[in-house]
């Protein structure tokens, strides 16, 4: 699924899923740099993000895979 990752002015990361019209904060990351690992959203969804170079500029839209979380 397409997911837009962005950072607000305070440095907090969030994920927006246009197809679901869902925006949630990213509350935890398996990888320190976020890319190439699992992130957990505020609603409990876990997304597997693609590997990207460290320092990738945000906002960016990526193809992510939903691993776990509540049903739609």
């Amino acid at each position: 699924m397409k997911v837009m990752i962005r950072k607000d002015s305070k440095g907090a990361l969030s994920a927006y899923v246009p197809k679901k019209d869902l925006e949630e904060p990213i509350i935890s990351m398996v990888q320190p740099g976020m890319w190439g690992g699992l992130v957990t959203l505020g609603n409990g969804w876990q997304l597997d993000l693609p590997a990207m170079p460290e320092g990738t500029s945000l906002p960016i839209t990526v193809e992510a895979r939903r691993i776990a979380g509540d049903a739609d």
Side-chain angles (χ1 to χ4, degrees):
M1 75 174 65
K2 298 279 186 199
V3 177
M4 178 189 283
I5 307 292
R6 52 184 151 194
K7 187 183 292 189
D8 68 13
S9 60
K10 296 176 185 168
L13 293 167
S14 65
Y16 175 67
V17 183
K19 197 168 189 176
K20 302 284 185 187
D21 193 28
L22 170 78
E23 183 165 13
E24 290 288 332
I26 295 174
I27 59 172
S28 70
M29 298 175 244
V30 172
Q31 301 287 346
M34 173 176 59
W35 302 114
L38 293 177
V39 297
T40 303
L41 305 183
N43 66 352
W45 284 16
Q46 286 189 319
L47 301 177
D48 185 18
L49 298 181
M52 303 283 282
E54 191 172 324
T56 298
S57 57
L58 300 175
I60 189 169
T61 300
V62 297
E63 189 67 32
R65 199 170 59 138
R66 187 166 133 197
I67 303 298
D70 291 334
D72 304 329

